[in-house]
Amino acid sequence: MRVLVTGAAGFIGSHLCERFLREGFYVVGMDNFLTGSPDNIAHLFENRNFHFIHYNVVNYIYIEGPLDLVMHLACPASPVDYMNHPIHTMKVDSLGTLNTLGLAKLKKARYVLASSSEVYGSAQVHPQPEDYWGYVNPVGPRSVYDEAKRFSEALSMAYHREHGLDIRIARIFNTYGPRMRRDDGRVIPTFIEKALKGEPMPIYGDGSQTRSFCYVDDLVEGLFRLATAEGLDGEVVNLGNPQETTILELAKKVTEITGSHSSIEFLPSRPDDPPRRCPNIEKAKRLLQWQPVKDLEEGLRNTVRWFAGL
Ligand code: NAD
Ligand code: UDP
């Protein structure tokens, strides 16, 4: 089996490539290193079943030979990154999605879109099930990501309905673990970096906003099952950990685990920052027999070890 992974040099993409290689797939990784790094995949280059193409998926994509599966992950994912690259973000989740869908159609390959819990925006329903349509500000600073993911979902469904493509949409909730960039601005790498350096941890707002954090190995297991199970054409599935925590609790946990004396610095809230986020994962449990197994405490310990270089 041959799989194309776009965003292969990113945080989730690099773990996913490893997983497919372990399962005996031939993996074509594609990335332009906008927010990812060659360091994340350097260890894969000696694998005969791994082939890397340095390429921007916004342009027409040519791949030699057959493909059975396309996994479209390319896209800046951290709010700081996508707000630094607003137009690129919209291009990669419109033109990039169009190109990868066109490729999947040409190769008669199955297609998995890495979408996001951000399609739910500042959700008015809690926890969020897949049939909730979301509450998104279409012109706010996060819209470049939220609306692009919503467009990617709509386009994928159009290819499913018009061309009969076997597409699956993963709505990924906050995921963390080794290989996140130290400076990507997401909350877990930021807190760990600050704690290890003994510097104040920045909290936007009063820290009462919630997120539900999934360890990367659990997420990759869910993505792998979604990509390889039969009979899931056109399905949209939440993948995330339903263990909800406030950002203030998270800061305290990171301080405890690192043994740091860092203080907390409260800063103004970020515009359109969703106040609560937690996945309803009943559908993933039913269709994929999947649920996360790593709790936040254990996942954070692993991640801290990696950030500390241990
Ligand atoms: P990441 O930034 O680490 O990885 C994204 C990768 O895509 C990077 O390697 C980047 O260089 C690459 N890329 C960006 N634009 C590209 C282009 N035009 N052509 C080729 N490559 C390009 O982010 P991540 O956390 O690994 O996220 C991966 C995917 O999962 C993204 O689609 C993201 O939206 C989705 N997702 C992630 C999370 C999360 O919590 N990590 C949550 C929801 C959705
Ligand atoms: N956050 C924070 N300090 C930081 C980074 C993030 O308080 O240094 C908060 C942010 O305001 C949000 C939550 O942590 O409420 C998660 O932010 P992140 O950027 O990780 O991802 P999001 O879930 O917003 O996409």
Side-chain angles (χ1 to χ4, degrees):
M1 298 278 272
R2 286 167 55 99
V3 55
L4 169 70
V5 178
T6 74
F11 159 52
I12 298 176
S14 59
H15 288 277
L16 191 65
C17 288
E18 275 174 8
R19 177 61 193 269
F20 277 115
L21 288 168
R22 270 207 309 279
E23 300 285 341
F25 280 68
Y26 184 90
V27 178
V28 180
M30 185 172 278
D31 206 293
N32 68 349
F33 302 130
L34 181 75
T35 56
S37 162
D39 294 346
N40 290 336
I41 47 169
H43 61 295
L44 302 180
F45 283 108
E46 62 194 23
N47 192 319
R48 307 173 41 244
N49 288 327
F50 183 69
H51 176 64
F52 181 73
I53 305 175
H54 184 188
Y55 197 70
N56 183 340
V57 298
V58 162
N59 303 309
Y60 180 85
I61 303 169
Y62 171 78
I63 303 273
E64 216 170 80
L67 276 181
D68 303 289
L69 180 61
V70 174
M71 307 284 301
H72 181 38
L73 276 80
C75 179
S78 150
V80 171
D81 284 344
Y82 63 69
M83 287 188 225
N84 279 340
H85 302 285
I87 296 173
H88 181 92
T89 300
M90 298 213 77
K91 282 186 181 172
V92 72
D93 257 320
S94 53
L95 300 174
T97 306
L98 181 69
N99 291 333
T100 50
L101 281 164
L103 179 70
K105 175 171 166 261
L106 178 76
K107 304 283 186 182
K108 299 186 174 33
R110 183 176 287 168
Y111 186 90
V112 177
L113 173 70
S115 184
S116 168
S117 53
E118 279 285 320
V119 300
Y120 300 124
S122 289
Q124 311 282 295
V125 169
H126 199 80
Q128 295 85 56
E130 290 84 352
D131 56 7
Y132 174 56
W133 292 353
Y135 186 67
V136 172
N137 175 354
V139 292
R142 295 177 87 103
S143 63
V144 293
Y145 183 75
D146 302 11
E147 295 293 8
K149 289 290 182 190
R150 290 169 70 97
F151 176 86
S152 281
E153 289 199 7
L155 191 62
S156 302
M157 290 308 291
Y159 267 76
H160 172 64
R161 296 193 182 103
E162 191 171 337
H163 296 302
L165 217 70
D166 179 352
I167 72 110
R168 291 112 193 262
I169 296 174
R171 289 197 182 137
I172 303 171
F173 284 66
N174 296 66
T175 300
Y176 70 101
R179 298 202 193 126
M180 292 185 94
R181 257 182 27 245
R182 290 166 196 275
D183 63 347
D184 87 356
R186 289 186 268 193
V187 68
I188 289 186
T190 305
F191 282 1
I192 294 178
E193 269 295 282
K194 297 289 182 188
L196 291 175
K197 290 183 175 159
E199 293 172 3
M201 297 165 137
I203 289 192
Y204 299 114
D206 62 6
S208 64
Q209 70 269 38
T210 71
R211 292 295 186 272
S212 307
F213 296 99
C214 186
Y215 190 67
V216 65
D217 292 354
D218 283 332
L219 193 270
V220 164
E221 179 65 33
L223 276 178
F224 183 78
R225 290 189 191 199
L226 181 66
T228 52
E230 293 306 317
L232 297 182
D233 319 21
E235 293 290 355
V236 181
V237 182
N238 284 342
L239 293 178
N241 190 319
Q243 186 189 352
E244 189 179 2
T245 175
T246 67
I247 295 304
L248 192 56
E249 283 162 359
L250 176 73
K252 289 182 182 150
K253 259 200 181 98
V254 171
T255 336
E256 270 165 37
I257 290 172
T258 50
S260 168
H261 297 293
S262 286
S263 58
I264 288 172
E265 182 183 22
F266 289 96
L267 299 171
S269 307
R270 299 201 288 200
D272 299 338
D273 195 338
R276 288 187 81 185
R277 183 185 289 155
C278 180
N280 174 325
I281 59 163
E282 292 310 309
K283 191 169 177 185
K285 284 185 187 166
R286 183 164 46 82
L287 293 184
L288 311 175
Q289 290 76 52
W290 172 87
Q291 61 181 323
V293 294
K294 184 106 56 210
D295 70 15
L296 185 57
E297 179 87 21
E298 197 189 347
L300 282 177
R301 283 189 191 283
N302 285 356
T303 311
V304 165
R305 268 198 296 278
W306 186 82
F307 272 84
L310 300 174

